[in-house]
Amino acid sequence: MKSGSGGDLRPPKLPIDLTPIELAGLYDENEFSQASLSGDCSDQSAAGLLFEQCAIRRVNLLNTHFSGLRVYNCRLDHCDLSGAQWEEARLRRTEWVDCRLRGASLIDSRCEDVNFSGCSMDDAFFAGVIFRAARFTRCSLRKVNFEGADLSGVIFDQCDLSGAKLPGAKLKGADLRSSNIEGMQVGIADLGGVKVTMAQALQVAALLGIVIREVGEEDNPPDPQLLP
């Protein structure tokens, strides 16, 4: 089955029996498959890592620097990736539950069938990232940088996108209706096909400097206290 929209995600396929592994050091080209992973790998660097069909729970990945990372059919639960820098990452059929990605950076990366739930992602850098079938649910995305990202069809369900940067992002079919978009930065040319409520449309218009007035309505109505 091909990936669909953010509302039609393919969940990770995990085997019933997983081999428990306590992570300590990560090295270039390490591969982990059908495992239950835990441990602290903060401040480590590696290239070509592969995680496939893994349950990754409470793993600290703070300030890690990975290039060419591949995460396929995995569930990440209560992991901390704050400050991580991942280049050319490929995330496919992954679930992220209650994870911290504050200030994390994905560079030249691709996310397909990814589901973020209850994650703290303030100030993350996702500029230029391609999202294919993705959903963010109850996530904090304040001041996240999505500049030039492909967010086509992505669902933002009850998220905080206040101050998020979206200039140049592809938003066709993206659903923002239940999320907070106060102070969001976006260009008028980027809004084609995006789903918003009427109240949000007025918010966006205000952000773009559009003045909405009914015919005959004065721009500056008189002060009632000055009326005779």
Side-chain angles (χ1 to χ4, degrees), residues 68-72 88-92 107-111:
L69 171 70
R70 292 161 293 161
V71 184
Y72 302 148
E88 298 182 350
R90 297 294 180 265
L91 313 178
R92 186 169 67 228
I107 303 169
D108 296 327
S109 298
R110 184 181 180 94
C111 301

Side-chain angles (χ1 to χ4, degrees), residues 27-42:
Y27 304 96
D28 292 354
E29 309 300 331
N30 272 171
E31 297 185 2
F32 301 91
S33 179
Q34 299 187 0
S36 175
L37 305 176
S38 58
D40 189 346
C41 298
S42 301

Side-chain angles (χ1 to χ4, degrees), residues 23-27 32 37-46 49 51 55-66 69-71 74-86 91 96 99-105:
L23 295 173
L26 295 173
Y27 304 96
F32 301 91
L37 305 176
S38 58
D40 189 346
C41 298
S42 301
D43 302 306
Q44 297 192 27
S45 299
L49 292 173
F51 296 93
I56 306 171
R57 181 172 175 78
R58 297 191 182 280
V59 174
N60 284 331
L61 295 163
L62 291 90
N63 302 315
T64 49
H65 188 174
F66 298 151
L69 171 70
R70 292 161 293 161
V71 184
C74 292
R75 179 178 294 115
L76 293 89
D77 188 358
H78 286 83
C79 295
D80 195 341
L81 297 85
S82 299
Q85 295 186 47
W86 294 2
L91 313 178
W96 304 68
C99 293
R100 291 168 59 90
L101 295 94
R102 292 186 176 182
S105 177

Side-chain angles (χ1 to χ4, degrees), residues 75-180:
R75 179 178 294 115
L76 293 89
D77 188 358
H78 286 83
C79 295
D80 195 341
L81 297 85
S82 299
Q85 295 186 47
W86 294 2
E87 301 172 3
E88 298 182 350
R90 297 294 180 265
L91 313 178
R92 186 169 67 228
R93 295 185 78 159
T94 61
E95 285 184 353
W96 304 68
V97 181
D98 295 326
C99 293
R100 291 168 59 90
L101 295 94
R102 292 186 176 182
S105 177
L106 294 180
I107 303 169
D108 296 327
S109 298
R110 184 181 180 94
C111 301
E112 182 178 342
D113 287 304
V114 292
N115 188 6
F116 297 94
S117 179
C119 295
S120 178
M121 311 168 81
D122 297 347
D123 297 303
F125 185 84
F126 296 148
V129 175
I130 297 172
F131 291 90
R132 286 286 179 268
R135 184 184 187 99
F136 297 82
T137 302
R138 295 185 303 279
C139 292
S140 182
L141 294 156
R142 290 174 293 186
K143 298 184 180 179
V144 167
N145 191 326
F146 280 120
E147 290 188 45
D150 189 345
L151 298 167
S152 303
V154 173
I155 293 175
F156 295 92
D157 182 15
Q158 302 175 68
C159 294
D160 186 354
L161 283 158
S162 55
K165 303 175 181 67
L166 288 88
K170 296 179 181 178
L171 293 169
K172 184 177 181 180
D175 193 338
L176 307 175
R177 289 176 292 181
S178 63
S179 294
N180 176 16

